[in-house]
Amino acid sequence: MLGTGTVGRNVAGRLAELDHEVTLGTRDPEETRAREGWEDVHGVGVATFADAARDADLVVNATNGAATLDVLALAGADNLAGTVLLDLSNPLDFSRGFPPTLLVKDTDSLAEQVQRQFPEARVVKALNTMNNELMARPTTLADGDHTAFVASNDEGAKAAVTALLTELGHTDVIDLGDLTGARGMEMLLPLWVRLMGTLGTANFQFKVVR
Amino acid sequence: MLGTGTVGRNVAGRLAELDHEVTLGTRDPEETRAREGWEDVHGVGVATFADAARDADLVVNATNGAATLDVLALAGADNLAGTVLLDLSNPLDFSRGFPPTLLVKDTDSLAEQVQRQFPEARVVKALNTMNNELMARPTTLADGDHTAFVASNDEGAKAAVTALLTELGHTDVIDLGDLTGARGMEMLLPLWVRLMGTLGTANFQFKVVR
């Protein structure tokens, strides 16, 4: 799990509950251990980005979108080669305040940027369209009666991520095809951010009714 | 109703069924009458854009997004002044083929462009996030158990459009606040277009589960 923000910690903790062996990647493991006490509380190891990615069956990018390419470079292209890389980040730009704008959109996506920069990684976009609590524990809202999306150029990687989503409790996973499907997933964020303000909560989710 | 495409015809027909007096605005009424036989079949009058907009209680922009500003200019700023203008169009650019890209996004929206160009119109963004069949007859899918959005700088206009949506059968209408809310609504289109391809149908809708 690359990233020690709320998203990374929450999803990592949930995966550990499900008996996955999880290592949280961070810039400075000593600092993160001291600040968070992660290994004591959650049974999740803490390591450098590179050590966390090395030999992982699946790497999750839970960094913020503006830092994603830098963090993945620290994780190391060699460590990501051949590895399923679940990208749940969003290319949000908060530099001009709130609401954020998108760093990339329309004819490209952050997921595609990652895939181009790390061509041997098996990038799958998923879970970026919901709050991290619902990423980790979807059945806490409406018994999980809402929709997740996946997009990837690698069918095997997409199947692995879909299986993981199912294990987390996502019952309706729509396959949006190749990684260009990430464009629409990331461009959903402005509506998501607006709804969070309107509804006064992040505890909502999109369902594709059909 | 400005626009004689599928969207305009379908929504106009539905409004006429609900006993609204509807006039379809078009560039060339004689040509439209000859081609479509509208007045015979649907009880919907056909007139120029300007004649359709003049004295209307509510004007619907059902033109394609690339033509919207031109058509509204033909309708006439004077005819739109003080009038509720329901904008259900999308700023899709098909000039580079499929999928379309967005003519405006992120820090602006077509609805805001319309409002700036016609400051005296009472612009409300709504219904652009679904297929025209579901705009007109939402209860045909899942008994209407899905979500519509509205955004406007004018509370009275928003209330009028919300009432119209309710009359059409939309039971869950979320108020996204002022017209900047249209950005997220329009940026939902890339995901909508992708889903249409994936699902093989336009007969789907988003529901905000909360």
Side-chain angles (χ1 to χ4, degrees):
Chain A
M1 179 69 62
L2 306 181
T4 59
T6 311
V7 180
R9 294 196 311 262
N10 205 358
V11 177
R14 168 69 168 153
L15 290 170
E17 281 174 19
L18 293 169
D19 288 332
H20 290 280
E21 187 181 335
V22 184
T23 302
L24 206 61
T26 178
R27 284 177 200 273
D28 183 342
E30 289 306 319
E31 191 272 340
T32 298
R33 277 192 203 101
R35 178 165 44 92
E36 303 282 354
W38 258 82
E39 277 158 315
D40 299 331
V41 181
H42 304 275
V44 172
V46 178
T48 63
F49 290 123
D51 285 344
R54 190 172 297 119
D55 302 326
D57 292 324
L58 187 147
V59 172
V60 181
N61 172 37
T63 63
N64 82 63
T68 287
L69 293 172
D70 289 343
V71 167
L72 292 176
L74 292 172
D78 286 354
N79 293 327
L80 298 174
T83 303
V84 177
L85 175 54
L86 166 52
D87 174 32
L88 45 76
S89 66
N90 278 301
L92 299 179
D93 179 1
F94 287 93
S95 67
R96 282 168 290 184
F98 194 88
T101 53
L102 291 175
L103 293 161
V104 56
K105 60 225 161 216
D106 208 13
T107 56
D108 198 6
S109 62
L110 180 59
E112 291 166 275
Q113 289 180 329
V114 168
Q115 185 67 83
R116 287 198 301 275
Q117 191 121 339
F118 302 93
E120 294 188 81
R122 305 166 69 193
V123 178
V124 181
K125 191 83 193 188
L127 294 179
N128 71 299
T129 57
M130 67 194 78
N131 177 256
N132 69 83
E133 287 284 343
L134 294 173
M135 293 179 187
R137 295 175 182 84
T139 56
T140 58
L141 176 67
D143 292 328
D145 185 22
H146 38 78
T147 303
F149 306 102
V150 291
S152 178
N153 297 337
D154 184 312
E155 292 301 321
K158 192 155 55 179
V161 167
T162 301
L164 190 68
L165 266 52
T166 302
E167 194 185 341
L168 289 167
H170 294 278
T171 53
D172 182 30
V173 181
I174 295 184
D175 180 351
L176 289 178
D178 70 24
L179 206 52
T180 60
R183 297 173 192 177
M185 294 168 67
E186 295 178 6
M187 292 176 80
L188 183 56
L189 262 287
L191 181 60
W192 189 93
V193 169
R194 187 79 173 203
L195 278 166
M196 183 179 65
T198 295
L199 300 175
T201 177
N203 190 34
F204 66 88
Q205 238 281 64
F206 295 99
K207 174 183 176 179
V208 178
V209 179
R210 71 270 195 202
Chain B
M1 178 70 61
L2 308 180
T4 59
T6 310
V7 180
R9 295 195 311 260
N10 205 358
V11 177
R14 169 69 167 152
L15 290 170
E17 281 174 20
L18 293 169
D19 287 332
H20 290 281
E21 186 182 334
V22 184
T23 303
L24 206 62
T26 178
R27 283 178 201 273
D28 183 342
E30 290 305 319
E31 191 273 339
T32 299
R33 278 192 202 99
R35 177 164 45 89
E36 302 282 352
W38 259 82
E39 277 157 314
D40 299 332
V41 181
H42 302 276
V44 172
V46 178
T48 63
F49 290 123
D51 285 343
R54 191 172 296 122
D55 302 326
D57 292 324
L58 188 146
V59 172
V60 181
N61 172 37
T63 63
N64 83 63
T68 286
L69 293 173
D70 289 345
V71 167
L72 291 177
L74 292 172
D78 286 354
N79 293 327
L80 298 174
T83 303
V84 177
L85 174 55
L86 164 52
D87 173 33
L88 46 74
S89 66
N90 278 300
L92 300 178
D93 179 2
F94 287 93
S95 66
R96 283 168 290 186
F98 195 89
T101 54
L102 291 175
L103 293 161
V104 57
K105 59 224 162 216
D106 206 12
T107 56
D108 199 5
S109 62
L110 179 58
E112 290 166 276
Q113 290 182 328
V114 168
Q115 184 67 83
R116 286 197 302 275
Q117 191 120 341
F118 302 92
E120 294 188 80
R122 305 167 68 193
V123 179
V124 181
K125 191 83 192 188
L127 294 179
N128 70 299
T129 57
M130 66 195 77
N131 178 258
N132 70 84
E133 287 282 343
L134 294 172
M135 292 178 187
R137 295 175 182 83
T139 56
T140 58
L141 176 67
D143 291 329
D145 185 22
H146 39 78
T147 303
F149 307 102
V150 290
S152 178
N153 297 337
D154 184 312
E155 293 302 319
K158 193 155 54 178
V161 167
T162 301
L164 191 68
L165 267 52
T166 301
E167 194 185 341
L168 289 166
H170 294 278
T171 53
D172 182 30
V173 181
I174 295 183
D175 180 350
L176 290 177
D178 71 22
L179 207 51
T180 60
R183 297 174 191 176
M185 294 169 67
E186 295 178 6
M187 291 176 80
L188 184 56
L189 262 286
L191 181 60
W192 189 94
V193 169
R194 188 77 173 206
L195 278 166
M196 183 180 66
T198 296
L199 300 175
T201 177
N203 191 35
F204 65 88
Q205 237 282 61
F206 294 100
K207 174 184 176 178
V208 178
V209 179
R210 74 269 195 199

